[in-house]
Amino acid sequence: MTTAAVVTGLGVLAPNGIGAEEYWSATLRGESGIGRITRFDPSSYPSRLAGEVTGFSVREHVPSRLVPQTDRTTQFALAGSDWALADSGLAADSLPAAERGVATASASGGFEFGQRELGHLWGKDPKHVSAYMSFAWFYAVNSGQVSIRHDLRGPTGVLVADQAGGLDAVAQARRRIRGGTPVMLTGAMDASLCPYGLAAQISAGILSESTDPTRAYLPFDAAADGHVPGEGGAILVLEDAERARARGARSYGEISGYAATFDPRSGSGRPGNLERAVRGALADAGLRPRDIAFVLADGAGEPEADRVEAAALTAVFGPAGVPVTVPKTMTGRLYAGAAPLDLVTALFALRDGVVPPTVHVDGPATGYDIDLVTRSSRPVDGAAVLVLARGRGGFNSAMVVSRPAAA
């Protein structure tokens, strides 16, 4: 019998809420965290809006000795891992260190830290560059720092696939649990809202240039012209279901299905493979399309990407065959952190029987035959949710989250 992997702990930092329950409450209210960038003056940039995490005091949540060693993204990951483990109720000595692992994702690494130290290099001299630059900028730094902080000496890794990487990391953690590791920390945090990070994102040509927070990120809308960047994400404790049950742990739900595909080069004339990822995740979960209560879409906010996603959903579920929502319209796209945050949304939605809205969007554009949940939350009944994430370069990932077996 295949080992089930369940989520027993959550740690969330989002532009519209710090802490899992705070984020969920704000999301149900349709409360947006998108606004003009405040971490630096964005006046000279064509894109000036973002979803910023506010109210996070690093020195309250990260040991003082680690502050000068770490970028904001890692500070988020350290705080999120602390909260997730505390939420899970796992005692520090409940397992040998070799039986606890970590798998995270990253899309940008420590951009802000790297920018500052490169400024020291060119504005002063090499002696002013921090020794911590050797790792603080690196994609794998969050996995490394979290593993050190919590003495996680089991399987450790990082996945880099833009937004899709957030699901890929959770899938890797699930794979490790099936392979015999009892506990894995997983998920992702990204934080690249600095001049260097914003410039890099603008260069891709897919950021909205609207200055109106209510009209800047409009997935599946006729007026869609790009997305708004954001920061934050979620760290999850994934655990062997039998072990979690034996210790009396609360289970938020099970990671019951997953598949990933890769699209051919744009302009090749070959069809994309998002539909295949959706069908693969359903097959892995042993479910049919009618078993899915709703879909948390990737929602790129780019007309062509939205068209492809809408077509894949219609092919699998039929015209307007399943409710679809994009709560990222309240946070911006958090890159690797977005999909783990969507998993948190899925778990709470199953618990409370409600689908959060896609704010600011009146309805899907002509030709997108999907049932988009807009304006306000919608009651829903079901035992499983599909989460989609896509990354620049052709990455597609799909994951099914199921209600806890005991529920």
Side-chain angles (χ1 to χ4, degrees):
M1 181 177 178
T2 304
T3 302
V6 297
V7 179
T8 59
L10 303 171
V12 169
L13 288 102
N16 61 344
I18 293 178
E21 292 288 355
E22 290 78 3
Y23 158 75
W24 176 239
S25 296
T27 299
L28 287 182
R29 294 193 301 269
E31 186 175 302
S32 176
I34 293 175
R36 183 180 170 89
I37 292 171
T38 63
R39 291 183 56 75
F40 61 94
D41 181 5
S43 299
S44 60
Y45 294 82
S47 299
R48 302 169 189 173
L49 300 179
E52 293 179 309
V53 172
T54 59
F56 177 75
S57 174
V58 62
R59 294 190 180 276
E60 290 181 11
H61 301 293
V62 177
S64 58
R65 65 179 179 81
L66 291 178
V67 173
Q69 302 180 26
T70 52
D71 180 79
R72 184 170 170 86
T73 182
T74 304
Q75 293 162 6
F76 284 175
L78 289 168
S81 65
D82 285 355
W83 300 341
L85 282 168
D87 186 43
S88 74
L90 275 169
D93 58 353
S94 61
L95 280 171
E99 295 182 14
R100 308 188 302 261
V102 55
T104 68
S106 177
S108 58
F111 267 18
E112 189 172 32
F113 194 105
Q115 175 188 295
R116 183 181 70 240
E117 298 309 316
L118 288 173
H120 291 166
L121 174 64
W122 295 108
K124 298 178 181 178
D125 61 62
K127 292 184 294 184
H128 288 86
V129 176
S130 169
Y132 301 121
M133 177 64 172
S134 62
F135 60 80
W137 67 272
F138 191 46
Y139 295 101
V141 67
N142 289 356
S143 286
Q145 289 283 17
V146 168
S147 69
I148 293 168
R149 177 160 175 76
H150 298 291
D151 196 23
L152 310 175
R153 304 191 188 192
T156 303
V158 61
L159 283 296
V160 182
D162 194 12
Q163 292 230 151
L167 292 186
D168 298 339
V170 177
Q172 175 69 357
R174 175 187 182 229
R175 187 176 299 117
R176 291 298 190 176
I177 285 174
R178 287 180 163 184
T181 302
V183 174
M184 292 286 296
L185 261 70
T186 188
M189 296 284 180
D190 254 322
S192 55
L193 297 180
C194 61
Y196 169 42
L198 185 61
Q201 294 169 56
I202 288 172
S203 69
I206 53 177
L207 292 192
S208 170
E209 295 184 5
S210 172
T211 57
D212 181 353
T214 68
R215 301 302 297 164
Y217 179 25
L218 303 170
F220 302 112
D221 191 283
D225 69 345
H227 70 268
V228 172
E231 62 179 1
I235 301 295
L236 290 69
V237 174
L238 214 59
E239 195 168 348
D240 177 285
E242 289 188 10
R243 183 185 184 281
R245 192 177 304 113
R247 71 178 183 88
R250 168 194 53 202
S251 170
Y252 287 102
E254 179 186 348
I255 306 300
S256 55
Y258 164 78
T261 59
F262 194 80
D263 287 337
R265 178 180 54 81
S266 177
S268 69
R270 291 177 290 169
N273 291 310
L274 179 59
E275 179 187 341
R276 189 158 60 87
V278 172
R279 294 190 185 279
L282 293 175
D284 185 37
L287 299 177
R288 298 159 294 184
R290 68 188 185 199
D291 297 320
I292 298 299
F294 70 94
V295 176
L296 281 154
D298 177 72
E302 303 166 60
E304 178 58 20
D306 287 348
R307 183 195 65 77
V308 169
E309 186 170 22
L313 292 174
T314 301
V316 174
F317 296 98
V322 64
V324 176
T325 190
V326 190
K328 287 188 284 288
T329 52
M330 293 174 246
T331 64
R333 289 173 72 81
L334 313 185
Y335 304 107
L341 189 61
D342 275 348
L343 293 178
V344 173
T345 304
L347 293 166
F348 282 143
L350 287 172
R351 182 193 69 182
D352 296 344
V354 62
V355 185
T358 305
V359 301
H360 307 146
V361 176
D362 293 327
T366 302
Y368 298 161
D369 205 353
I370 58 174
D371 177 16
L372 192 65
V373 179
T374 61
R375 297 186 180 86
S376 61
S377 301
R378 182 192 299 180
V380 69
D381 183 30
V385 173
L386 175 68
V387 179
L388 300 182
R390 308 182 73 200
R392 298 290 294 176
F395 299 100
N396 301 307
S397 294
M399 185 165 281
V400 176
V401 179
S402 300
R403 183 176 291 160

